[in-house]
Amino acid sequence: MSSHMPSILKVALVAVTLVGLGCSGPVRRDAVPPALTAKAEIPGLPGVRYRLSESGAIASEGLESVKRERAYLASQGHTGPLPPAVFLAVSGGGDGGAFGAGLLNGWTAAGNRPQFKLVTGISTGALIAPFAFLGPKYDDRLKDFYTNTAPHDIAEARSFIAAITNDAMADNRPLWNRVAKEVDRALLDEIAAEYQKGRLLLIATSDLDARQPVIWNMTKIASSRDPGAVDLFRTVMVTSAAIPGAFPPTLIDVEADGGQYQEMHVDGGAMAQVFLYPPSINISKSKAPQRERKAYIIRNSRLDTEWAQVERRTLSISARAVTSLIATQGVGDLYRIYATTQRDGVAFNLAYIPSTFNEPHPHEFDTEYMRKLYDLAYGMAVKGYPWDKVPPGLAAGELADKPR
C-alpha cells in the first residue's frame, strides 16, 4: 500500500523470519495447482478478472467497450468520430494517496477534469479508483478519507506474538468496515451504468501462490447481479491495499476443473506500483479505432531518492533495502508505461509528490501530514497541474517521438 513504511516493514520482516521456526498458524484450503491456475474462476462470477497471460481477453474487453461506447453515443445523438479516450492510472503509496485525492479534486475545481474511459488502481490507488471513476460527485468522499483518517481507522495492532501465531501483525478490519460503509449496491449500480457506456474500471491484486498479478474488471463485477458481487468488489479494494505481513492476506475461494481451492491475494503493489494496460496489448496494431488517446498517471509518492541514516541493525537495514526496492520498482513501472504509450501513440502525463514537500511524517496515516499533502496537490491542480511528459531522468523524445 505504501512505498515508505519502514516501521510496518520491520515487523513484517520479523514475521517472515519467525515463520521459519515452524510454529503453527491459521490454516487454509489447498492452493490452485499450477496447471489449473489459468482455469480458476470465482463461483457465480466467471470472467471478471485476468492474468497477464490472458492479454487477449483484456484486449477483447477493450474492443467490446468501444462497441458499447458507440451504441451509447449514438443513443445520445452523437455522430462523427469517437471523442478522445482519456485513461487514468492511480498508484500505490499509502497515505500518499492524499496527493492523488487532492489532485483530482483540484482538477475538478479547475473546471477541466475529463471523464475517464479507463481508470486503474493499485494499493491505495484501489481505494481512490472507484470514486475517481464516478467523477466529481464523489470528491467529498475522497477528501474526507484522505484528510480525516487516522491509523486506528485503517488497522488494529495485534500482539507481537502474532508474528508467530497469525497471518499479519495488524488486523485491517477498520478499513474493511470503512469500505463496506462506502461501497454498497447503489454505488455498484452507478458503476454498472458507466460500464454500459463503454467505460472500464480495473484494480490489481497479487496472487501469492502463483506469484502473478491479477487484474479485476470492477465494472463487470458491478454489472453482475450475483449475490456475491458487492462483497467481491469490497474484497478486491481492500485486498489490493493489504501489505503482506503487516495486514492479513485475503483467501479467495475459486473453482477449477470441478475442484474447490483458495487463492491467497495481497497488496497489488507486491507486483507493480502502478499499471495502465498490459504492454502485450499493442493498440497501434489492434482493431481499436483511430482516436486521440491520453494517459494520466498519478504516482502517490516522491520519485527522488530520500536520504536517511540507517541504523546498524538487521531490521533497519532490511527495511531500508525493501523500501528502496519498492521505490525503484515504482520508477520502473513508469518507464514501462511510457514505452508502451509511446509505441501506441498515447500522450503520457505524469504527476507525483514533489521533492520540495518535506512535512513531518511521524507515522503512516498521520492526519496532519495527509491534510498538508492534500492541500498541496489541490492547489497545484487548481492552477493547472504541470504534468510531466516523460518519466524522471529521461529527456523528451529519448525513447520515441512524444505524442502531442
Side-chain angles (χ1 to χ4, degrees):
M1 187 175 187
S2 172
S3 60
H4 182 61
M5 302 187 74
S7 59
I8 291 180
L9 282 169
K10 285 179 183 178
V11 295
L13 285 164
V14 170
V16 171
T17 302
L18 292 177
V19 166
L21 298 177
C23 300
S24 62
V27 297
R28 58 168 292 187
R29 186 181 294 170
D30 287 343
V32 182
L36 299 180
T37 296
K39 297 181 179 181
E41 294 277 13
I42 307 299
L45 289 161
V48 297
R49 61 189 197 155
Y50 321 99
R51 297 178 186 271
L52 291 187
S53 59
E54 301 174 290
S55 59
I58 304 176
S60 295
E61 178 63 41
L63 293 175
E64 288 298 317
S65 77
V66 173
K67 293 180 181 178
R68 293 192 298 272
E69 182 183 8
R70 287 188 187 279
Y72 170 73
L73 291 173
S75 72
Q76 302 300 302
H78 175 84
T79 58
L82 288 170
V86 185
F87 309 147
L88 173 70
V90 191
S91 85
D95 58 7
F99 177 78
L103 193 158
L104 286 165
N105 289 7
W107 204 349
T108 297
N112 60 349
R113 174 176 163 182
Q115 183 182 78
F116 305 108
K117 177 171 177 59
L118 168 68
V119 176
T120 72
I122 271 186
S123 204
T124 199
L127 303 178
I128 295 173
F131 304 107
F133 179 81
L134 288 175
K137 175 182 176 181
Y138 286 90
D139 283 1
D140 287 345
R141 295 201 196 185
L142 282 179
K143 180 179 181 181
D144 180 63
F145 183 83
Y146 284 99
T147 61
N148 291 317
T149 296
H152 67 265
D153 298 313
I154 302 299
E156 297 174 350
R158 292 171 172 169
S159 67
F160 189 76
I161 199 70
I164 304 173
T165 63
N166 218 316
D167 57 3
M169 293 301 299
D171 185 347
N172 56 355
R173 178 54 53 182
L175 179 59
W176 277 94
N177 293 338
R178 177 62 183 266
V179 170
K181 179 182 176 182
E182 299 284 355
V183 177
D184 54 16
R185 185 65 250 182
L187 185 133
L188 263 65
D189 287 343
E190 288 188 55
I191 292 174
E194 298 305 310
Y195 182 59
Q196 294 306 315
K197 298 176 185 177
R199 301 179 63 213
L200 294 172
L201 170 63
L202 307 176
I203 287 176
T205 62
S206 300
D207 179 348
L208 275 188
D209 298 316
R211 197 180 281 179
Q212 292 180 3
V214 175
I215 299 173
W216 299 80
N217 188 336
M218 306 299 279
T219 28
K220 197 168 184 178
I221 294 172
S223 297
S224 171
R225 304 309 299 186
D226 186 272
V230 175
D231 183 63
L232 180 61
F233 196 102
R234 295 167 176 167
T235 295
V236 173
M237 287 180 64
V238 176
T239 302
S240 184
I243 308 162
F247 301 141
T250 299
L251 295 173
I252 297 179
D253 293 330
V254 297
E255 297 175 342
D257 273 6
Q260 309 294 314
Y261 304 99
Q262 279 185 331
E263 296 173 345
M264 181 179 286
H265 286 250
V266 297
D267 193 331
M271 298 295 170
Q273 292 300 303
V274 63
F275 77 103
L276 190 61
Y277 56 87
S280 56
I281 298 176
N282 190 328
I283 293 179
S284 62
K285 294 183 178 180
S286 72
K287 297 179 181 178
Q290 293 296 314
R291 66 194 304 185
E292 181 183 359
R293 294 182 175 87
K294 299 179 181 180
Y296 291 90
I297 296 90
I298 298 177
R299 180 70 177 104
N300 293 306
S301 178
R302 286 172 49 167
L303 298 183
D304 58 313
T305 55
E306 296 181 68
W307 185 92
Q309 179 169 310
V310 182
E311 296 179 13
R312 193 176 176 182
R313 298 290 185 273
T314 301
L315 293 181
S316 295
I317 294 168
S318 300
R320 181 68 170 174
V322 171
T323 56
S324 298
L325 284 170
I326 292 172
T328 302
Q329 175 199 41
V331 173
D333 292 334
L334 297 177
Y335 271 78
R336 182 175 60 251
I337 291 173
Y338 179 74
T340 302
T341 56
Q342 294 299 286
R343 179 198 66 194
D344 293 344
V346 180
F348 178 92
N349 298 274
L350 171 65
Y352 53 90
I353 300 174
S355 59
T356 53
F357 183 77
N358 289 298
E359 295 295 328
H361 193 192
H363 52 75
E364 280 298 306
F365 288 92
D366 177 74
T367 307
E368 189 61 26
Y369 172 85
M370 289 192 295
R371 287 175 178 172
K372 290 180 178 179
L373 182 55
Y374 175 94
D375 289 342
L376 170 74
Y378 184 93
M380 294 177 74
V382 165
K383 296 175 184 177
Y385 191 87
W387 298 89
D388 281 16
K389 304 302 180 181
V390 295
L394 185 69
E398 254 183 83
L399 293 184
D401 291 334
K402 180 178 64 177
R404 307 246 176 219

